[in-house]
Amino acid sequence: MFAQISHVVRSKESYTQDVFAYQGVRAIQIDEANSEGNEDNVFIFSKIEKNANPDKMYFQRFTKVNSKWILKSSVEINHNGIISAWGSRKGFVDYDKDKSVDAFFIYALYDTNFREQSVHLIFSKKDQLYTIESKVSDDFKKDKFSDNFKSLDAVSKKELLEYWNKLDKIDK
């Protein structure tokens, strides 16, 4: 069987800040997803010091260009409480069949007592990031989209919304 996108898992220690200039002081989730013969990508969630309040997490996408890892997109997430990446909730796809890896990841915001406040999806497509969020306060009934979400291609939107609408957003 041949798959266009491959997902590589290595130890976090092999992804040093010398090679990947990620912003946080500690990497908490690293995923490598490659489009065979087309591009290599590394997605890194990193955070500031443990137990810092407010909490700060970074999401960064690096793509290999001419044997060097180049930062393609980045977002900083700040929250007065706790930010947690849901490592088991992610996907690596090529919805629009352009031979570039598209990837989505889920994270949530909690208060300082670890009560869930909201759930967020980050969708990485080339050098763009798109987001969806939903809050506990309205029982996850209203979704908020990033301003650029409306410019996303129809196939990607459809697939992401299907995933998002099926996602169990309650962290029990």
Side-chain angles (χ1 to χ4, degrees):
M1 182 189 314
F2 177 81
Q4 178 183 349
I5 296 172
S6 62
H7 182 213
V8 179
V9 179
R10 298 182 191 154
S11 74
K12 285 192 300 191
E13 291 74 27
S14 66
Y15 296 92
T16 66
Q17 284 186 316
D18 295 335
V19 178
F20 302 96
Y22 59 85
Q23 291 180 280
V25 297
R26 57 194 174 102
I28 60 167
Q29 180 179 317
I30 300 172
D31 293 283
E32 187 170 334
N34 305 319
S35 173
E36 195 170 318
N38 190 46
E39 69 179 10
D40 297 337
N41 299 281
V42 171
F43 303 90
I44 299 177
F45 280 99
S46 60
K47 291 184 83 174
I48 59 175
E49 302 80 19
K50 282 185 178 187
N51 302 317
N53 194 11
D55 199 1
K56 186 181 290 189
M57 183 171 73
Y58 303 94
F59 172 78
Q60 295 174 281
R61 177 184 183 147
F62 295 89
T63 301
K64 193 178 260 186
V65 178
N66 297 325
S67 301
K68 290 189 82 171
W69 290 100
I70 306 298
L71 179 64
K72 287 294 186 172
S73 58
S74 178
V75 66
E76 179 181 306
I77 301 146
N78 294 287
H79 179 63
N80 287 324
I82 301 162
I83 307 167
S84 178
W86 289 7
S88 61
R89 301 285 192 257
K90 57 188 162 194
F92 304 96
V93 296
D94 183 15
Y95 290 137
D96 62 0
K97 310 292 186 236
D98 67 353
K99 297 185 177 158
S100 178
V101 175
D102 303 331
F104 63 85
F105 303 87
I106 304 296
Y107 71 92
L109 304 180
Y110 300 84
D111 66 16
T112 54
N113 294 315
F114 216 73
R115 286 186 302 256
E116 184 180 19
Q117 296 181 328
S118 59
V119 175
H120 304 253
L121 179 146
I122 296 176
F123 181 59
S124 176
K125 182 173 186 58
K126 296 187 179 175
D127 63 351
Q128 294 293 306
L129 297 175
Y130 305 85
T131 62
I132 308 172
E133 73 174 80
S134 190
K135 295 183 178 183
V136 171
S137 61
D138 64 9
D139 293 322
F140 304 109
K141 295 210 183 339
K142 294 180 192 170
D143 295 326
K144 181 179 175 189
F145 301 88
S146 59
D147 291 339
N148 65 344
F149 196 85
K150 60 185 168 261
S151 67
L152 190 58
D153 65 276
V155 173
S156 296
K157 262 192 237 181
K158 176 185 174 291
E159 295 290 340
L160 284 173
L161 289 173
E162 279 182 17
Y163 176 84
W164 181 251
N165 291 331
K166 291 177 185 173
L167 178 67
D168 182 2
K169 297 172 184 79
I170 299 171
D171 185 11
K172 299 172 186 157

